[in-house]
Amino acid sequence: MKFVNLIFLLFSTFIFSQNLQVVYLLERKNDIYDIESKQTPCNYFYKENKSIFITEHSKVDSMFVDNKWIYAPNRSVTKKLDTGVILSFNDYNKDNKHKQAVLDSVNFFTWNIDNQKKKKILNYDCSYATTTFRNRKYEVWFTYDIPINDGPWKLSGLPGFILEAYTDDNLYHYTAKKIFTDFKLPETIDFDKFDKYEKISFGEYEKKFKEYYIIRDESEKSANISANDKKNIKTRISTQEIVIDY
């Protein structure tokens, strides 16, 4: 079975020659104590072994708006499926003149597949799989009928396309809502947008991430924001969860 899956991974992206767009809905909570989720639309685009995943709030950086803390980092992610390279924008770089991209790999994912569990999503037959990535467990539903070993955000490496993914702590939940194939890609879609950036490791990104929020934590002392927002900021600095959200 593992040999069959390996063959699938090697040749599936060559078989699927159409362009692909998937519209996802991301339901996200700031922490496990949040009752309601924030809903955010996301777009996935694929062409010729390359993909880009764009979270709509990635157009806005973290900021104070109307005395409220708005947490909305750049969440764009590009993947080269033939080489396994994942790049995402370092939105916490202090030097905007030297843009940086965070380097990851699809090889980080080790999947456990359970073909006995079945589910239909957008009329596609889906199978169940799980993985652990940076101390967080992900459960996903993927379909063999779309022969692209990819999915939302950085999730990748299954013998099929991921249509639904969620974390066991219920902080993140991606659900495919619409699928479009064989269409002309918008001219604004750039699968190579991060290639020209300086590359940094995730460890370097994690350090910058923490430094960013420590600075924010100091600056918020003079800002009129709620006690709950202050607690959320300090929680992201002091716990390991700060490194898992990306």
Side-chain angles (χ1 to χ4, degrees):
M1 184 62 183
K2 291 183 178 179
F3 178 76
V4 173
N5 287 343
L6 177 61
I7 296 298
F8 183 95
L9 291 174
L10 289 173
F11 294 102
S12 62
T13 51
F14 294 99
I15 297 173
F16 196 89
S17 58
Q18 296 176 317
N19 297 336
L20 177 69
Q21 178 187 3
V22 181
V23 179
Y24 289 92
L25 178 67
L26 167 60
E27 297 175 273
R28 181 181 185 276
K29 296 180 180 179
N30 284 333
D31 55 54
I32 60 176
Y33 302 105
D34 280 358
I35 298 176
E36 296 184 359
S37 300
K38 297 179 181 178
Q39 297 188 344
T40 305
C42 308
N43 271 293
Y44 170 96
F45 295 94
Y46 167 90
K47 181 180 181 180
E48 297 175 352
N49 285 338
K50 297 180 181 180
S51 70
I52 184 169
F53 184 77
I54 305 168
T55 306
E56 289 304 316
H57 68 200
S58 66
K59 299 174 182 177
V60 183
D61 192 10
S62 304
M63 62 182 69
F64 290 107
V65 178
D66 297 329
N67 294 325
K68 294 182 180 180
W69 177 259
I70 305 298
Y71 175 68
N74 189 313
R75 296 281 171 167
S76 297
V77 176
T78 63
K79 301 183 198 133
K80 305 293 178 62
L81 300 182
D82 52 351
T83 61
V85 172
I86 302 176
L87 293 175
S88 50
F89 182 57
N90 172 24
D91 41 319
Y92 299 104
N93 185 24
K94 298 175 184 177
D95 185 359
N96 291 325
K97 293 181 181 179
H98 300 89
K99 294 183 178 180
Q100 296 176 328
V102 184
L103 180 64
D104 268 319
S105 171
V106 299
N107 296 325
F108 291 152
F109 297 103
T110 300
W111 293 97
N112 296 307
I113 300 173
D114 185 351
N115 285 314
Q116 299 303 311
K117 293 185 178 180
K118 299 293 183 182
K119 181 177 182 178
K120 269 194 177 290
I121 301 175
L122 299 177
N123 291 323
Y124 286 93
D125 292 322
C126 295
S127 295
Y128 176 81
T130 61
T131 191
T132 299
F133 182 60
R134 298 197 171 114
N135 299 323
R136 174 169 282 153
K137 181 181 178 181
Y138 289 85
E139 302 176 59
V140 308
W141 293 92
F142 71 99
T143 178
Y144 293 99
D145 296 333
I146 301 178
I148 301 175
N149 53 313
D150 204 10
W153 186 56
K154 296 182 179 181
L155 300 174
S156 187
L158 279 164
F161 192 80
I162 300 171
L163 294 178
E164 184 177 7
Y166 45 88
T167 57
D168 62 345
D169 54 16
N170 295 315
L171 292 186
Y172 296 90
H173 194 147
Y174 297 94
T175 307
K177 295 297 182 180
K178 294 181 180 179
I179 297 177
F180 304 95
T181 60
D182 204 18
F183 63 98
K184 184 177 180 180
L185 284 167
E187 294 182 0
T188 55
I189 299 302
D190 182 6
F191 295 101
D192 304 315
K193 63 182 297 184
F194 299 140
D195 286 8
K196 58 183 176 292
Y197 293 0
E198 176 189 353
K199 309 299 186 299
I200 63 172
S201 68
F202 184 82
E204 293 174 288
Y205 171 79
E206 178 185 6
K207 181 180 178 181
K208 291 176 181 292
F209 191 107
K210 289 183 177 180
E211 288 175 348
Y212 178 90
Y213 274 107
I214 289 173
I215 294 172
R216 285 289 188 178
D217 189 43
E218 290 298 320
S219 65
E220 58 97 15
K221 292 177 181 177
S222 59
N224 182 24
I225 63 174
S226 70
N228 184 59
D229 285 333
K230 291 181 181 180
K231 179 182 177 182
N232 286 339
I233 295 170
K234 292 176 180 177
T235 298
R236 296 191 189 102
I237 296 171
S238 62
T239 70
Q240 193 175 13
E241 289 298 311
I242 191 171
V243 307
I244 300 177
D245 290 346
Y246 210 75

